[in-house]
Amino acid sequence: MKIALSGASGNLGKVIRPELLRQGVELRSAGGHKCPKPFAANEDVMCGDLRDPLVVDRLLKGVDILLHFAGSSVEGPLAGIIDNNLTALAAIYEGVRRHHVKRVVFASSNHAIGMYPVDEKLDIHCAVRPDGFYGLSKVWGEALARMYWDKHGVETICIRIGSCIPKPTEVRHLSTWLSEDDLLRLLSCCITAEEVGFCIVWGVSDNSRTYWDNSAAERLGFHAQDNAEQYAAEITALASRTLTENPQYQGGSFALMNYTPPGERGKTSRSG
Ligand code: 15L
């Protein structure tokens, strides 16, 4: 089986590559401006702008599964998000069609639903509530994937990734953490599951304080083994020392960027 990975030089790409290569996967890893250095003999590397169909052709030739981890990964100016997360994604899905790639695993994000309050437990069918342009671009990506399944039979698993970092560093992560080992376990299920059609799952560990019901991922065979609670004492002590407030919205700080507090809504701004 040949797997392509976009976003290979990013934080998650660097976690994913060694494990796939260790498993003997024939991997094509793509970076953006710079080509990544191959980690092993079974890795071929490339780079380029994924809005360009010729670059997409190089990425997808002979590929069975694409792990799409490239694109803007944080909130930022709309123009860049449109280039990276909308235009490039559309070019990729057209390439997926041209090359008969069977399945895409799309790195979506919890920021597609980031405006939900933290005391609401969500299942995967909840309505979207993006917390910014970045979250909105992930909603668009999920809908694009849905369309390619309905119209062209291209399978996609969208993973709404929580906070995939080596260990939790703030109170919110006690709910949103996805350990790197659990990410690898989840990806392995996404690669080997039989027929998946189109589905969305949460990318989250088995956290006692999770916001999300992840039975959709369990249906793919995923059983998270890590729990952020093991860091709870450390994190709460840190939060009380630094007087950090508990998050209000599931998207944390993203939800509060360019945010109008309820008491100030509808008031004329000083410049207006
Ligand atoms: C994401 O989608 C971002 O890519 C990452 O940088 C984190 O901010 C993460 O979400 C999170 O919500 O913690």
Side-chain angles (χ1 to χ4, degrees):
M1 179 188 299
K2 178 103 185 167
I3 296 184
L5 170 70
S6 66
S9 309
N11 291 341
L12 300 189
K14 284 192 225 145
V15 171
I16 296 165
R17 287 162 61 203
E19 177 56 17
L20 292 182
L21 293 166
R22 192 192 61 75
Q23 290 172 13
V25 165
E26 238 192 284
L27 185 64
R28 179 171 302 135
S29 297
H33 301 299
K34 259 180 77 185
C35 292
K37 282 213 177 78
F39 282 164
N42 49 337
E43 179 175 43
D44 74 85
V45 295
M46 57 166 285
C47 50
D49 186 333
L50 292 171
R51 289 173 299 174
D52 178 348
L54 294 177
V55 175
V56 172
D57 282 342
R58 262 199 291 144
L59 175 67
L60 297 180
K61 190 161 182 278
V63 160
D64 302 291
I65 297 187
L66 167 67
L67 309 180
H68 181 57
F69 278 71
S72 300
S73 62
V74 288
E75 187 60 355
L78 181 58
I81 289 178
I82 289 179
D83 283 347
N84 297 328
N85 293 8
L86 275 65
T87 311
L89 194 67
I92 282 167
Y93 269 89
E94 273 307 291
V96 159
R97 231 178 118 189
R98 278 196 302 284
H99 290 269
H100 307 289
V101 175
K102 180 175 163 43
R103 181 175 300 169
V104 178
V105 178
F106 170 54
S108 185
S109 168
N110 73 89
H111 295 288
I113 55 82
M115 291 312 295
Y116 277 97
V118 293
D119 55 7
E120 214 166 312
K121 180 119 181 187
L122 306 181
D123 83 10
I124 205 65
H125 303 294
C126 65
V128 292
R129 290 177 73 174
D131 58 22
F133 292 135
Y134 165 65
L136 195 54
S137 76
K138 294 299 184 181
V139 170
W140 192 85
E142 291 178 359
L144 185 81
R146 171 87 236 185
M147 183 185 87
Y148 272 80
W149 168 242
D150 289 336
K151 291 188 75 169
H152 308 296
V154 172
E155 291 193 335
T156 298
I157 300 168
C158 301
I159 307 179
R160 281 188 188 157
I161 301 174
S163 307
C164 189
I165 43 178
K167 60 179 250 193
T169 58
E170 54 181 70
V171 171
R172 174 174 167 271
H173 296 158
L174 298 176
S175 305
T176 59
W177 189 50
L178 171 64
S179 73
E180 294 176 348
D181 286 344
D182 279 338
L183 168 69
L184 296 174
R185 286 183 195 105
L186 177 56
L187 284 181
S188 157
C189 298
C190 292
I191 291 166
T192 56
E194 289 280 312
E195 302 287 320
V196 298
F198 168 84
C199 66
I200 308 178
V201 301
W202 303 106
V204 68
S205 283
D206 187 23
N207 305 328
S208 308
R209 306 185 197 195
T210 188
Y211 305 141
W212 309 313
D213 168 353
N214 212 6
S215 24
E218 283 165 23
R219 283 194 287 278
L220 297 176
F222 174 60
H223 298 285
Q225 288 180 25
D226 293 314
N227 184 339
E229 208 55 28
Q230 64 180 298
Y231 299 100
E234 196 183 311
I235 295 294
T236 40
L238 178 73
S240 64
R241 267 202 313 280
T242 53
L243 301 175
T244 315
E245 279 179 40
N246 285 341
Q248 217 185 321
Y249 295 107
Q250 297 193 6
S253 60
F254 282 47
L256 299 178
M257 285 178 208
N258 194 21
Y259 170 83
T260 309
E264 287 175 29
R265 295 181 187 183
K267 288 190 186 156
T268 315
S269 70
R270 233 177 289 157
S271 58

